[in-house]
Amino acid sequence: MDMINVKVNGIAVSVPKGATILEAARAAGVEIPTLCYMKEKNEIGACRICVVEATGARGLVTACVYPCTDGMEIKTNTPKVRAARKTTLELILSTHNKNCLSCSRSTNCELQKLCYEYGVDSTAFGGFKPIYKLDTSTPHLVRDNNKCILCRRCVAACEEQFVSVIGANNRGIDTCIGQAYNLALGDTPCISCGQCTAVCPTGALVEKDDTDKVWAALADTSKHVIVQTAPSIRATLGECFDMPIGTNVEGKMVAALRRLGFEKVFDTNTAADFTIVEEATELLDRVKNGGALPLITSCSPGWVKFCEYYYPEMLPHLSSCKSPQQMGGALIKTYYAEKMGWDAKDVFVVSIMPCTAKKFEVGRDDMSAAGDGIADVDVALTTRELARMIQRAGIKFTALPDEDFDPALGVDTGAAVIFGATGGVMEAALRTANDVLTGKDNKEIDFKEVRGTAGIKEAEYNIAGINVRVAVASGTANAKILMDKIKSGEANYTFVEIMGCPGGCVNGGGQPIQPQYVRDTVDLKAERAKALYAQDEAMAVRKSHQNPIVKEVYENYFKGEYGCHAAHHALHTSYVAREKYAK
Amino acid sequence: MLKKMSNLPFNGTKEQEEKLLAVIAENKHDKSRLMAVMQEAQGIYGYLPLEVQKMIADGMEVSLEKVYGVATFYAQFSLAPQGQYHISVCLGTACYVKGAGLLYDKLQQLLGIGGDECTPDRKFSLTACRCIGACGLAPVLTVNEEVYGRLSENDVEGILAKCE
């Protein structure tokens, strides 16, 4: 590779030809502030915060897109640079809703942090200030253009998902992020993945806060308020309390939930084990009886909604299994309520999810195992909302002891833990299918070909003489690639796992916000997934069908085999083809 | 300036649709041809209503929002149909000083439409433009390609009457 030599604030550094000033500065250990820049995703030089002085350049240049030349001397911290950045911030603030005290992103806002660092005068510029209505039309997020700085990171995130329902409209002072024809977001084919909320630098895109519903339920003595937590939460929640990325905080999380007042703290991992035995049964049934293949997983509600909008013809391939969240709620309101002698109407199920689409999923049709329109899950909170509840309750998270889940629906397996990472559901299903088909308790259970953060993974296994071709995709743009291959006949898979978010649930739209600098320089997906694979490795039981609760429920409650009528009634659902821009 | 959207029903013909589909077929291999396709579509329909933008989005395999974003960015794209007679009043400095604003108001009043709108019978549409380089004739308006100059408010009715 051709290298060139540059100096950043006097520090000599050698970078590949074509590298930008920002890349050179990062290589030299010099931080240049950015707002619009997302490595390889949004390199547009729009926000002008990264301006620097560089020899050979006329005026200040944007470090994020300006290429280095050999011998270039770059200065990132001169009076001229600081003054320009400060003015830019003050101009941004001139149209910004500055109610930072009541903004959910306060103290975690990239704009606020820079304004503090540069000592801005928030009233420096007056003039025209557009007023936008909040978009609250979806169950999962609130879009507030009054806090938007037009960095277009959300647009890039939406484009990365091959959804692109938001973009920049109009021009000049009228420019705003919006939907085609100013439709409400809820009237567009948005898949609710929430990736936009994870990359927004300010409070312009935030999850819809449902914590008040949970506080109200917790205060209602007539309700049994039960909580369940998704596999990936334990790998990410610590980040909200300044713990290192990839710290497994399962024990502290359970302790915190108990202190918040939940009557029982259950693990969605248990439900994930039910998902695996039902899905593996469905797969084997389709293989034997000539059903629609490949079977495609349906755990990710963002992916399911994507399929309903963009590939309705593929819906027969979707597994009819409910997602672990919905199975968890269904089991709590049927099996567990009956066991405790509770009326399902008095049970309030809260789930802690890495995901904004789960807020959409709880309201879907055909999600009522207990009947009478009783929802399987009442409220889905994101990891971020849970962190806020813990803070509001005055719980010192890092000082908590480690506690265990309540055992009734809180015993899990290694197979369930890895659901939170791309390839995890596939591996869990293969472990079970392998045992069922060979009739043995196999010791070789690592299917490493489907691990890792690649967007698309393919593998082929021979299980008891049956050739199983599998594919794993994460991120709906990769899902699109697989769907097109399947439709054209180019690929002939048996089983396909798809997660809506790039990297799977560990990188879900409801996970803790990390500033873009961290997202650019740390592989969040990989670091968070490591915590899950380490836990799997350390567990005694690593196969879903060996979960004692699974055995107990099928024997004594469903009174049948996997896939029996009672299990089907409680744990399966249906899908609908959705028309894009129907209104 | 924000673009006005039309509430008039879409009345595209089969023939127009075939023309547009042919344009899309020619260009769909290259997404960067989006703007060129939109220009041709505006040539075919006179404007870019939702129905046309949807056809372009589906055909070019880009999102509807992308098409809409481009349509609202460039001044040349219109979201409202043009009438059989398209009236454009120059509001450049010279014309404005000579009373073009009064002409514009009078036209809105007589036609019952605002700027960048079209009458329900699609006979007239009205817009304001900047200097057309005929300052010596100020105030000036054009009806399709025809230029009318040195006007006063009282001339407006007569001009409309000529449009049959």
Side-chain angles (χ1 to χ4, degrees):
Chain A
M1 195 186 296
D2 280 355
M3 301 297 279
I4 53 175
N5 298 308
V6 300
K7 276 186 179 171
V8 185
N9 297 346
I11 303 166
V13 59
S14 193
V15 293
K17 203 173 166 199
T20 62
I21 291 177
L22 180 66
E23 284 161 350
R26 285 182 175 176
V30 172
E31 196 182 326
I32 295 174
T34 61
L35 279 172
C36 67
Y37 176 80
M38 293 162 81
K39 191 177 167 189
E40 288 160 18
K41 292 174 188 167
N42 200 44
E43 301 178 344
I44 58 174
C47 76
R48 323 301 293 180
I49 280 297
C50 67
V51 289
V52 295
E53 289 188 64
T55 49
R58 269 195 310 133
L60 300 173
V61 293
T62 45
C64 69
V65 290
Y66 201 86
C68 294
T69 50
D70 198 29
M72 186 183 257
E73 291 191 29
I74 299 148
K75 294 204 169 95
T76 72
N77 185 23
T78 64
K80 196 174 168 187
V81 164
R82 287 195 301 272
R85 289 181 187 161
K86 185 176 171 187
T87 303
T88 299
L89 287 167
E90 287 170 345
L91 283 166
I92 291 173
L93 289 184
S94 74
T95 58
H96 192 76
N97 177 347
K98 297 180 276 290
N99 69 343
C100 302
L101 287 180
S102 51
C103 179
S104 73
R105 288 293 299 274
S106 189
T107 73
N108 187 17
C109 167
E110 292 180 39
L111 177 64
Q112 190 185 45
K113 179 173 178 282
L114 285 174
C115 288
Y116 166 73
E117 288 172 0
Y118 282 80
V120 299
D121 172 0
S122 66
T123 59
F125 296 100
F128 179 70
K129 186 177 174 202
I131 304 289
Y132 296 99
K133 272 202 297 192
L134 298 193
D135 188 336
T136 58
S137 60
T138 63
H140 69 289
L141 64 75
V142 177
R143 224 166 59 70
D144 182 358
N145 268 349
N146 302 298
K147 293 178 183 168
C148 175
I149 61 168
L150 297 171
C151 68
R152 293 160 171 80
R153 273 158 52 171
C154 56
V155 178
C158 200
E159 202 166 292
E160 192 193 359
Q161 290 286 63
F162 204 79
V163 171
S164 283
V165 291
I166 51 173
N169 293 335
N170 310 317
R171 72 187 288 168
I173 189 77
D174 295 316
T175 306
C176 64
I177 302 301
Q179 296 77 236
Y181 275 80
N182 301 330
L183 289 167
L185 188 60
D187 292 334
T188 70
C190 165
I191 61 165
S192 309
C193 71
Q195 284 296 312
C196 54
T197 65
V199 299
C200 181
T202 70
L205 280 157
V206 294
E207 67 284 349
K208 201 174 254 183
D209 190 308
D210 288 316
T211 55
D212 281 345
K213 292 181 194 164
V214 179
W215 289 117
L218 286 168
D220 182 347
T221 49
S222 70
K223 296 267 189 235
H224 300 285
V225 188
I226 315 289
V227 69
Q228 57 166 339
T229 65
S232 63
I233 312 300
R234 67 210 73 201
T236 58
L237 180 63
E239 291 170 35
C240 296
F241 302 93
D242 297 327
M243 294 165 85
I245 293 164
T247 308
N248 189 329
V249 296
E250 181 178 303
K252 292 190 196 313
M253 173 182 74
V254 172
L257 289 165
R258 223 163 253 143
R259 279 154 185 72
L260 282 171
F262 290 102
E263 189 172 330
K264 295 287 171 195
V265 182
F266 288 148
D267 197 344
T268 311
N269 287 8
T270 309
D273 283 327
F274 282 83
T275 307
I276 284 302
V277 296
E278 282 297 310
E279 208 159 77
T281 306
E282 189 179 4
L283 175 66
L284 296 176
D285 176 65
R286 289 196 192 194
V287 170
K288 278 185 201 144
N289 300 320
L293 288 175
L295 177 70
I296 307 176
T297 61
S298 58
C299 301
S300 163
W303 149 243
V304 168
K305 206 173 172 195
F306 183 87
C307 191
E308 290 177 327
Y309 270 126
Y310 300 86
Y311 287 91
E313 66 280 14
M314 298 300 282
L315 289 175
H317 291 267
L318 276 195
S319 163
S320 62
C321 289
K322 288 180 184 174
S323 70
Q325 155 171 275
Q326 297 301 127
M327 284 199 182
L331 288 166
I332 292 167
K333 292 203 180 179
T334 58
Y335 157 76
Y336 188 68
E338 190 183 296
K339 188 172 158 176
M340 301 298 283
W342 295 341
D343 188 331
K345 278 202 265 317
D346 299 329
V347 182
F348 192 91
V349 173
V350 177
S351 48
I352 313 298
M353 293 286 138
C355 181
T356 49
K358 291 285 173 191
K359 290 180 185 286
F360 165 78
E361 189 183 40
V362 298
R364 285 187 67 105
D365 289 339
D366 199 10
M367 290 291 185
S368 174
D372 287 341
I374 298 171
D376 289 337
V377 175
D378 294 280
V379 174
L381 298 181
T382 59
T383 316
R384 304 193 284 266
E385 288 165 278
L386 172 61
R388 283 204 290 278
M389 286 189 75
I390 294 170
Q391 283 157 347
R392 195 173 302 175
I395 296 167
K396 293 251 178 298
F397 187 79
T398 50
L400 287 172
D402 287 345
E403 293 183 8
D404 291 327
F405 285 104
D406 286 294
L409 285 170
V411 176
D412 65 343
T413 66
V417 175
I418 57 175
F419 258 62
T422 169
V425 177
M426 174 60 69
E427 183 165 349
L430 289 172
R431 288 178 190 176
T432 289
N434 191 23
D435 277 13
V436 171
L437 285 173
T438 57
K440 290 193 294 197
D441 183 7
N442 291 289
K443 297 287 173 247
E444 280 297 316
I445 61 164
D446 288 346
F447 293 84
K448 292 201 166 138
E449 296 76 7
V450 296
R451 294 186 187 179
T453 56
I456 295 180
K457 292 164 278 187
E458 292 171 301
E460 203 166 336
Y461 299 104
N462 190 305
I463 301 178
I466 298 175
N467 204 29
V468 182
R469 289 171 304 278
V470 303
V472 173
S474 70
T476 42
N478 290 318
K480 177 186 159 46
I481 294 171
L482 281 192
M483 290 308 112
D484 289 343
K485 277 172 91 171
I486 294 166
K487 269 173 64 181
S488 71
E490 188 191 332
N492 180 20
Y493 306 117
T494 322
F495 188 33
V496 173
E497 177 207 295
I498 294 182
M499 290 294 155
C501 291
C505 305
V506 286
N507 190 37
Q511 292 286 28
I513 304 277
Q514 287 291 352
Q516 192 57 39
Y517 174 77
V518 173
R519 297 180 74 88
D520 285 343
T521 51
V522 177
D523 189 351
L524 283 183
K525 307 187 272 264
E527 291 305 311
R528 290 167 172 173
K530 271 187 206 162
L532 300 180
Y533 282 105
Q535 186 171 343
D536 167 39
E537 198 78 37
M539 289 180 83
V541 182
R542 296 176 64 195
K543 297 173 189 168
S544 295
H545 55 287
Q546 292 173 349
N547 186 326
I549 298 173
V550 172
K551 290 183 195 164
E552 132 85 11
V553 171
Y554 279 91
E555 265 170 42
N556 300 323
Y557 182 71
F558 291 146
K559 297 187 174 32
E561 300 284 309
Y562 304 147
C564 65
H565 184 75
H568 216 273
H569 171 77
L571 305 181
H572 288 249
T573 186
S574 53
Y575 310 105
V576 286
R578 294 175 198 271
E579 195 189 331
K580 285 184 268 181
Y581 296 106
K583 280 183 188 171
Chain B
M1 233 187 33
L2 285 175
K3 287 199 180 170
K4 276 202 185 153
M5 279 180 248
S6 172
N7 289 324
L8 296 177
F10 177 61
N11 62 359
T13 62
K14 192 84 205 146
E15 196 191 343
Q16 285 173 316
E17 186 176 334
E18 276 165 17
K19 269 193 201 169
L20 176 57
L21 291 176
V23 171
I24 292 170
E26 236 172 81
N27 292 284
K28 70 179 301 175
H29 63 280
D30 180 2
K31 286 193 185 10
S32 73
R33 302 282 301 155
L34 175 63
M35 260 172 66
V37 171
M38 289 170 68
Q39 271 176 314
E40 297 238 20
Q42 178 147 311
I44 295 166
Y45 288 93
Y47 73 123
L48 296 175
L50 175 63
E51 292 78 0
V52 171
Q53 292 192 31
K54 273 188 178 174
M55 273 191 264
I56 296 172
D58 289 345
M60 294 297 288
E61 290 182 24
V62 299
S63 74
L64 180 62
E65 161 52 34
K66 185 127 200 158
V67 179
Y68 180 78
V70 173
T72 54
F73 184 85
Y74 292 100
Q76 289 84 348
F77 291 122
S78 172
L79 302 182
Q82 288 197 353
Q84 183 190 350
Y85 296 98
H86 183 60
I87 304 171
S88 182
V89 181
C90 178
L91 292 185
T93 311
C95 286
Y96 193 80
V97 168
K98 294 281 251 174
L102 298 173
L103 302 181
Y104 194 48
D105 291 346
K106 180 84 177 186
L107 279 162
Q108 296 192 31
Q109 187 197 329
L110 289 173
L111 296 171
I113 56 173
D116 297 322
E117 286 179 13
C118 183
T119 54
D121 62 2
R122 300 187 191 233
K123 190 170 173 190
F124 293 103
S125 55
L126 178 65
T127 189
C129 65
R130 298 295 146 183
C131 187
I132 60 169
C135 309
L137 298 177
V140 168
L141 65 76
T142 61
V143 178
N144 296 341
E145 304 295 306
E146 202 164 335
V147 179
Y148 295 84
R150 298 212 175 92
L151 299 171
S152 78
E153 260 181 287
N154 301 329
D155 299 320
V156 171
E157 259 173 290
I159 292 171
L160 291 182
K162 279 208 277 177
C163 299
E164 281 310 324

